[in-house]
């Protein structure tokens, strides 16, 4: 188990989801945007998340024609799902729409389901089901490696630079090329919000790959340096046991600074109780 929050001389730092489960062995309705935590008594004091230096320069990444095309389509799907666009241009507009997606107009689960629909709309309708039958079921290892390669190649516009690595998968084996190590997640850093990370990225992406593509995927964000580990072939833990859901609010969260109350958007989806 990962350690829980601890106090350091430099201040409180959150330790929960930082240690990777994956073993690296190689290489809108226009409502007020407020975060949401259902059990604030379980959470530590807000902490300074992420690296202390300035963000990288993404000018070259944003100018890439392929990245621009994917970003434009992603924004289009966000607008279709929310029913409203942002006045902000370029990548900052994606972040503005993401905050709308995480507004108090929606419960965390509604935000997750909307995010899944957006992900699904980024693919041809036939592709996920066909991939599951033709590749995932008969060739799970190759399918994991292929998805890791595609993720690393096509997500730079959203998350920044990443590289393929070897990770632990189901059964405790270390599988080559099944992982994607995001160096410093641009999306997390720009939103400045753990709830946006969890409800708009981690949970919906894991669920999309497991249910739509037929591949287990565990995503492990590190809130101290904003890195993130994708582990294809590793089944995510139940959300009630995933320490990321015990994340304290970030002190730099725009909502935290503006309204000065606890985040309300980090809550696990618990299984329905069995009928007597």
């Amino acid at each position: 188990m990962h350690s829980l929050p601890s106090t350091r001389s430099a201040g409180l730092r959150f330790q929960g989801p930082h240690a990777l489960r994956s073993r690296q062995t190689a290489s809108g309705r226009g409502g007020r945007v407020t975060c949401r935590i259902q059990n604030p008594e379980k959470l530590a004091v807000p902490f300074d998340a992420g690296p202390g230096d300035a963000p990288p320069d993404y000018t070259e990444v944003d100018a890439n024609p392929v990245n621009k095309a994917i970003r434009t389509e992603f924004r289009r799907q966000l607008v279709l799902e929310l029913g409203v666009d942002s006045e902000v241009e370029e990548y900052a507009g994606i972040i503005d729409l993401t905050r709308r997606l995480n507004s108090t107009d929606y419960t965390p689960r509604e935000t997750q389901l909307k995010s899944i629909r957006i992900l699904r709309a980024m693919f041809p309708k036939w592709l996920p089901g066909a991939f599951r039958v033709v590749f995932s079921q008969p060739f799970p290892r190759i399918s994991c490696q292929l998805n890791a390669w595609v993720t690393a190649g096509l997500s730079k516009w959203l998350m920044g630079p990443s590289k393929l690595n070897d990770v632990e998968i189901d059964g405790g084996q270390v599988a080559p090329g099944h992982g994607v190590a995001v160096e410093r997640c641009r999306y997390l850093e720009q939103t400045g919000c753990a709830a946006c990370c969890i409800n708009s990225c981690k949970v919906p992406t894991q669920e999309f790959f497991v249910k739509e593509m037929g591949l287990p995927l565990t995503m492990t964000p590190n809130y101290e340096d904003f890195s993130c580990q994708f582990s294809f072939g590793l089944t995510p833990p139940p959300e009630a046991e995933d320490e990321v859901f015990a994340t304290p609010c970030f002190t730099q969260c725009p909502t935290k600074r503006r309204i000065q109350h606890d985040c309300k958007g980090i809550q696990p989806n618990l299984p329905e109780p069995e009928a007597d």
Side-chain angles (χ1 to χ4, degrees):
M1 292 292 293
H2 308 314
S3 58
L4 296 175
S6 62
T7 304
R8 299 180 182 175
S9 58
L12 185 69
R13 304 292 289 177
F14 184 70
Q15 300 296 306
H18 297 167
L20 303 180
R21 288 182 73 229
S22 306
R23 185 181 307 152
Q24 302 178 29
T25 61
S27 33
R29 280 166 280 179
R32 186 178 65 178
V33 179
T34 57
C35 301
R36 302 168 297 266
I37 289 174
Q38 296 301 308
N39 298 303
E41 70 277 2
K42 295 183 179 180
L43 302 181
V45 176
F47 76 112
D48 295 327
D53 57 336
D57 183 358
Y58 294 104
T59 302
E60 184 176 344
V61 172
D62 290 339
N64 181 282
V66 175
N67 292 338
K68 289 176 70 174
I70 299 174
R71 186 184 70 225
T72 298
E73 178 60 18
F74 187 77
R75 178 173 183 146
R76 188 177 79 87
Q77 296 301 333
L78 268 168
V79 171
L80 287 174
E81 187 62 45
L82 289 170
V84 63
D85 201 352
S86 170
E87 296 181 356
V88 184
E89 299 296 328
E90 306 296 333
Y91 189 85
I94 299 291
I95 299 304
D96 184 49
L97 290 169
T98 296
R99 290 181 178 144
R100 291 173 183 262
L101 184 62
N102 284 269
S103 74
T104 49
D105 283 344
Y106 311 112
T107 66
R109 186 55 183 164
E110 287 173 338
T111 296
Q112 293 163 13
L113 292 174
K114 285 179 175 292
S115 299
I116 291 171
R117 288 195 291 269
I118 291 167
L119 272 174
R120 188 185 296 130
M122 293 294 292
F123 295 85
K125 291 183 179 179
W126 55 267
L127 192 149
F131 188 91
R132 182 174 63 248
V133 173
V134 177
F135 288 98
S136 297
Q137 293 175 357
F139 310 111
R141 290 291 191 98
I142 294 175
S143 299
C144 285
Q145 291 174 323
L146 177 60
N147 277 274
W149 181 78
V150 171
T151 299
L154 297 182
S155 66
K156 189 174 183 179
W157 74 272
L158 180 65
M159 300 185 294
S162 62
K163 60 183 178 181
L164 297 177
N165 64 346
D166 303 344
V167 293
E168 184 178 297
I169 62 173
D170 290 343
Q173 301 167 293
V174 175
H178 281 49
V180 178
V182 179
E183 297 176 8
R184 179 170 174 169
C185 183
R186 181 186 188 184
Y187 185 76
L188 173 58
E189 186 162 20
Q190 291 298 311
T191 59
C193 176
C196 287
C197 167
I198 292 168
N199 296 323
S200 299
C201 187
K202 173 182 164 65
V203 170
T205 303
Q206 289 179 166
E207 189 168 331
F208 173 79
F209 275 96
V210 170
K211 294 184 177 180
E212 308 272 343
M213 303 287 282
L215 290 177
L217 169 65
T218 295
M219 295 168 61
T220 310
N222 182 320
Y223 292 137
E224 286 194 346
D225 62 9
F226 286 165
S227 63
C228 185
Q229 178 66 56
F230 284 62
S231 299
F232 288 93
L234 183 65
T235 300
E239 292 181 12
E241 300 174 14
D242 191 336
E243 291 184 0
V244 74
F245 288 93
T247 304
C249 189
F250 300 165
T251 54
Q252 69 265 45
C253 175
T255 298
K256 185 68 180 179
R257 290 200 304 265
R258 185 173 67 251
I259 62 178
Q260 294 298 307
H261 67 56
D262 287 322
C263 172
K264 301 298 180 185
I266 305 175
Q267 56 172 305
N269 296 304
L270 301 177
E272 294 291 334
E274 295 183 4
D276 295 333

